[in-house]
Amino acid sequence: QVQLVESGGGLVQAGGSLRLSCAASGRTFSSYAMGWFRQAPGKEREFVAAISWSNGITSYADSVKGRFTISRDNANNTVSLQMNSLKTEDTAVYYCAAPGQSAVWRPYHYWGQGTQVTVSS
């Protein structure tokens, strides 16, 4: 069973930075893509960023491109999301996710419990 545990959320002022981390366990981490999603109150969950299983290819939502950076540490089975220049509209619960199969980008099957990010004006 795959387990994903996020950490690093909190309250920050607009323009500030936060770094989210996700610890994964239960399978060969380096063989799987990893992603971050978020869900704001009253809105559907949306894609934020993803990183490939092998060569570090990344993908970002247009709304965070240039401000957020996803990275992974396969030695420690972690994926991180560095969030800079935060805006009030970035306020959401952020989820770490992983596909159910290796070497694919989607569909995402495993989800963490989420971590709250609140950006104040």
Side-chain angles (χ1 to χ4, degrees):
Q1 183 69 17
V2 175
Q3 291 186 328
L4 303 174
V5 179
E6 302 98 335
S7 61
L11 174 64
V12 64
Q13 286 190 330
S17 299
L18 277 177
R19 185 177 181 87
L20 305 183
S21 292
C22 173
S25 62
R27 64 181 186 187
T28 306
F29 178 76
S30 60
S31 298
Y32 293 81
M34 296 294 297
W36 286 96
F37 290 75
R38 67 186 182 186
Q39 187 167 20
K43 295 187 178 181
E44 294 188 354
R45 188 175 298 184
E46 64 175 0
F47 169 77
V48 175
I51 188 166
S52 68
W53 50 94
S54 60
N55 53 11
I57 293 175
T58 57
S59 176
Y60 297 93
D62 288 343
S63 59
V64 306
K65 204 170 291 184
R67 300 188 298 121
F68 290 11
T69 302
I70 187 171
S71 61
R72 66 189 299 158
D73 179 351
N74 288 337
N76 291 300
N77 286 6
T78 59
V79 60
S80 298
L81 185 69
Q82 177 66 42
M83 306 185 295
N84 298 330
S85 302
L86 282 161
K87 304 176 181 180
T88 55
E89 52 262 45
D90 294 319
T91 295
V93 178
Y94 283 71
Y95 297 91
C96 175
Q101 295 180 327
S102 63
V104 299
W105 285 98
R106 61 183 65 87
Y108 287 87
H109 182 73
Y110 299 102
W111 298 85
Q113 82 288 351
T115 186
Q116 177 70 47
V117 171
T118 302
V119 184
S120 64
S121 57

